[in-house]
Amino acid sequence: MTTDDLSGMGPLVARLSRVGQRLRQADRARPWVLDTAVVVVVFLLFCLPDLLRGGVDDGDGPPRFRLAFTELPVAGVLALQAGLLLPLLWRRRRPMAAFGAIAAVFVLQWSLGAALRADVALFVALYSLVLHGRLRQLPWAGAVTAGAVLLVAVRASPAVSVWDALFFLLSTATAALALGLVVRIRRAQLAGLRDRAARLEVERDQRSRLATATERARVAREMHDIVGHNLSVIITLADAGAYATDAAPERGKEALRLIGDTGRQALGELRRVLGVLREAGDGPAGGPELSPQPGVADIGALCATVRTAGPQVVYRTSGDVEALDDGVQLTVYRIVQEALTNTLKHAADDARVHLAVVVTGTRLSIRIQDTGPAARPGPPHEEGHGLVGMRERAALYGGTVSAGPTDGGGWSVEAVLDLTPQGGAR
């Protein structure tokens, strides 16, 4: 076969596959049509010749055939043919019952010494039992078939050698059984592949939904950190500027300038966070570049912004903090940012904040402690979404976050991260 012949088989295979699919759909809708068609085909091919020519032992055969088999009247032939063919109508719904009925008629027929071409129904029923029945029924069906063909071989011994007859009949039965097993195994494999494809599709959708939920949670944390911190700074500066407008106008102008700087910084960070949600093809090709994620190096500027709002921040680091990977640095920055935001909300304007970031081996600790709450009425420290977000960020690196009041009346937040390499963030 040439390459052109092989290439031309593609459309043919596709057409045959479509035809087979349509036939299967039609069979599922009207299964009785196929069952009836099988009976009609077997009748036309094997029963009608017996009726027209007088059976297997007709006058055209050798004399030993006429002596070996009994010639039955037409009514008897029709009755036996009906007993052999009609059970095929439920060969798929009740395969064992159909096989048993056909085997009983088969044994009765050969007990009478009659030979009919309709005996092929026994092998069709055996094939259907293997394909549609229960596998534990096969030994019984095999034993019945072996007994039936042995009876045929003995009854046909005057015309054919017993061993030749057994070889032919057992080979035919084995072929029917093997064909049924092959088709059954193939259907089971296809069903398994379809089931696996369906499960993989469900798992893919679940992974997609999980990834979407994870990304939403990440963006929500980023938005909370950005908006919550910068709004707290803006509100504190606006209050301070309002008080300083009359007594020290220059301080009021400085507060307004810092409010503008803080707002622009917040807007830039929001653009960066929301920009990652856009697809690569969206927006103009020459759009503005997004600033990198903040890290430990940006904590100093963060502390300076908080100082302008009133609290005095003492910041120190220990260990090689610059060697931390970007994910850990972003986590440290956001935890510090959230803790300082809480200080702005709840601590006095002249509060003193001690901030320490310490790296010791594979352990990173962050400690933020302020000196006390504001003298004016205000909401006390409580666990809100900010503390939950800090704990979620720390959990990505096997860390923990604890927060609570100190002995001096202040508030303390401590986070511990595990820097042991794990092939990526956990």
Side-chain angles (χ1 to χ4, degrees):
M1 183 176 290
T2 63
T3 305
D4 294 337
D5 295 334
L6 291 174
S7 61
M9 290 179 65
L12 176 61
V13 172
R15 284 195 295 270
L16 291 176
S17 177
R18 288 194 294 269
V19 170
Q21 185 176 3
R22 293 193 189 99
L23 290 176
R24 287 191 295 270
Q25 292 175 351
D27 181 48
R28 285 193 293 268
R30 298 179 179 84
W32 58 269
V33 174
L34 178 60
D35 296 332
T36 305
V38 170
V39 173
V40 171
V41 170
V42 173
F43 176 80
L44 294 176
L45 293 179
F46 299 99
C47 297
L48 195 59
D50 285 346
L51 295 174
L52 296 178
R53 302 178 62 182
V56 175
D57 55 331
D58 54 43
D60 295 337
R64 63 178 183 273
F65 279 94
R66 294 194 297 272
L67 296 174
F69 303 123
T70 302
E71 184 176 356
L72 297 175
V74 176
V77 172
L78 284 174
L80 291 175
Q81 287 178 347
L84 291 170
L85 293 188
L86 292 181
L88 292 179
L89 292 174
W90 64 84
R91 64 184 181 87
R92 293 190 292 178
R93 288 170 294 172
R94 298 289 187 271
M96 189 61 187
F99 175 81
I102 293 174
V105 176
F106 184 90
V107 171
L108 174 62
Q109 168 208 322
W110 281 98
S111 299
L112 297 175
L116 299 176
R117 294 179 177 88
D119 290 338
V120 71
L122 179 67
F123 302 110
V124 176
L126 178 62
Y127 163 80
S128 301
L129 176 62
V130 175
L131 181 57
H132 303 290
R134 299 175 182 176
L135 293 180
R136 64 172 179 267
Q137 297 172 339
L138 294 186
W140 296 98
V144 171
T145 304
V149 299
L150 180 60
L151 174 63
V152 174
V154 171
R155 295 292 295 185
S157 58
V160 183
S161 169
V162 173
W163 298 112
D164 291 343
L166 281 177
F167 176 77
F168 173 76
L169 294 173
L170 289 176
S171 298
T172 305
T174 302
L177 190 147
L179 180 61
L181 285 176
V182 169
V183 176
R184 182 173 186 142
I185 292 172
R186 178 60 176 168
R187 288 184 179 180
Q189 290 176 339
L190 291 177
L193 290 175
R194 285 192 292 268
D195 182 65
R196 176 176 174 80
R199 289 200 307 270
L200 289 176
E201 186 175 357
V202 172
E203 291 175 1
R204 182 198 63 189
D205 294 340
Q206 290 176 343
R207 286 196 299 269
S208 177
R209 288 194 293 268
L210 181 60
T212 301
T214 302
E215 181 64 14
R216 287 176 177 175
R218 185 192 68 81
V219 172
R221 288 195 300 267
E222 292 288 331
M223 295 286 288
H224 174 273
D225 293 339
I226 294 170
V227 175
H229 169 74
N230 288 288
L231 281 180
S232 296
V233 173
I234 290 173
I235 291 170
T236 304
L237 289 173
D239 290 341
Y243 287 120
T245 300
D246 297 330
E250 293 300 324
R251 293 290 302 275
K253 293 175 59 178
E254 178 67 15
L256 292 176
R257 185 186 64 79
L258 292 175
I259 288 174
D261 293 341
T262 303
R264 281 187 289 272
Q265 179 184 354
L267 183 60
E269 292 189 9
L270 286 176
R271 285 175 177 171
R272 171 181 53 75
V273 172
L274 297 178
V276 299
L277 301 179
R278 296 183 300 177
E279 297 182 359
D282 294 343
E289 295 184 358
L290 302 174
S291 60
Q293 294 274 29
V296 175
D298 299 295
I299 294 180
L302 178 64
C303 294
T305 303
V306 174
R307 292 188 189 101
T308 60
Q312 298 300 311
V313 182
V314 179
Y315 170 49
R316 69 178 182 87
T317 61
S318 177
D320 192 5
V321 295
E322 299 295 335
L324 300 175
D325 63 61
D326 295 340
V328 176
Q329 292 202 32
L330 176 62
T331 298
V332 173
Y333 180 89
R334 292 305 186 197
I335 291 175
V336 170
Q337 184 185 51
E338 180 61 32
L340 293 178
T341 300
N342 289 335
T343 298
L344 286 175
K345 291 179 180 178
H346 304 290
D349 294 338
D350 58 350
R352 188 174 183 86
V353 183
H354 294 274
L355 167 62
V357 178
V358 180
V359 177
T360 306
T362 59
R363 185 176 182 271
L364 185 149
S365 62
I366 308 165
R367 184 175 178 84
I368 307 99
Q369 181 178 350
D370 59 54
T371 56
R376 62 181 181 274
H381 281 293
E382 59 182 8
E383 292 193 11
H385 296 291
L387 186 57
V388 173
M390 284 192 283
R391 285 173 175 163
E392 289 179 353
R393 289 184 180 277
L396 294 176
Y397 295 93
T400 58
V401 174
S402 58
T406 61
D407 295 337
W411 191 265
S412 173
V413 176
E414 185 171 1
V416 179
L417 306 183
D418 183 8
L419 303 181
T420 303
Q422 297 290 337
R426 288 173 291 184

